[in-house]
Amino acid sequence: MALNNIHCIRMLKSVLLATALLLPAGGCSISYKLNGASLDYSVYKTIHVSEFPIRAALVYPPLQQMFENELLDYITRNTRLRTVDGASDLQIEGEITGYSLSPQAVTEDAYASKTRLTITVRLKYIDTKQEGKDIDQSFSAYRDFDSSQMLNDVQDELCQQICKELVDLIFNATLGNW
């Protein structure tokens, strides 16, 4: 029992020492943002997110709404920006330019055992407060699924997963300023 108490006291001393060493000295400060957003909220207060029409050769109609909702929800959850229609401090617009299927992992009998669903989004990010921060870039993400499955059976789930990844990539490149 006494040995256990001694062990606890030593661990507590170690934690306190580590904490004291990590505290900033003088005028230094450490700032962490758990969501990755790196915005100065005294400058940026509003954002406008336009519709993302589907301009891909293949069209999955629910994809536009799915992507737009995921993007807006992510921004709302991870920033203090107010979404507005019209003039704003930041603007995001774009289009879904790719929705494609391609065979992957071909077996010895020349059949694909996996199929890849890839979605590409072209994004234009405009910072009306600071020059040089604008972005005009395409983002892609994909998921593989077993070729024995019908696309109709897995499409909703795959699109949800891909949209989440695309939104994460877009957020990090724009509002996260990575």
Side-chain angles (χ1 to χ4, degrees):
M1 183 74 154
L3 188 59
N4 208 6
N5 287 341
I6 292 171
H7 180 69
C8 287
I9 291 171
R10 283 185 184 157
M11 286 198 47
L12 182 59
K13 284 181 181 178
S14 297
V15 168
L16 290 174
L17 179 63
T19 303
L21 291 175
L22 292 175
L23 286 175
C28 299
S29 67
I30 298 173
S31 174
Y32 292 104
K33 292 177 175 67
L34 297 177
N35 62 12
S38 62
L39 295 170
D40 181 353
Y41 290 110
S42 65
V43 176
Y44 300 104
K45 299 188 182 335
T46 60
I47 188 168
H48 172 71
V49 180
S50 297
E51 290 185 1
F52 278 73
I54 299 174
R55 306 260 193 264
L58 287 177
V59 175
Y60 178 54
L63 180 60
Q64 179 179 350
Q65 193 68 43
M66 192 182 294
F67 176 76
E68 290 169 0
N69 288 344
E70 185 65 35
L71 182 58
L72 283 169
D73 288 348
Y74 197 89
I75 290 169
T76 301
R77 282 191 320 266
N78 292 290
T79 72
R80 291 183 290 182
L81 296 171
R82 186 172 40 91
T83 56
V84 296
D85 289 330
S88 62
D89 301 328
L90 299 167
Q91 299 170 13
I92 294 178
E93 57 188 54
E95 57 194 5
I96 300 168
T97 58
Y99 185 86
S100 62
L101 297 166
S102 58
Q104 302 294 312
V106 178
T107 62
E108 67 272 357
D109 55 1
Y111 289 104
S113 62
K114 297 278 186 186
T115 301
R116 176 167 292 171
L117 172 61
T118 304
I119 298 174
T120 304
V121 173
R122 183 178 164 269
L123 177 98
K124 190 170 183 182
Y125 172 79
I126 302 163
D127 184 331
T128 62
K129 299 289 187 179
Q130 192 172 11
E131 285 192 36
K133 296 278 190 167
D134 296 355
I135 294 173
D136 190 346
Q137 181 178 342
S138 289
F139 297 87
S140 290
Y142 65 86
R143 290 291 182 275
D144 294 341
F145 63 98
D146 196 278
S147 293
S148 64
Q149 296 176 298
M150 296 296 295
L151 177 61
N152 291 342
D153 296 337
V154 295
Q155 193 165 219
D156 281 339
E157 182 182 342
L158 294 176
C159 286
Q160 282 287 353
Q161 292 172 9
I162 294 170
C163 284
K164 284 181 189 299
E165 183 176 342
L166 286 169
V167 165
D168 194 43
L169 291 169
I170 289 167
F171 186 87
N172 287 337
T174 57
L175 301 171
N177 197 22
W178 288 52

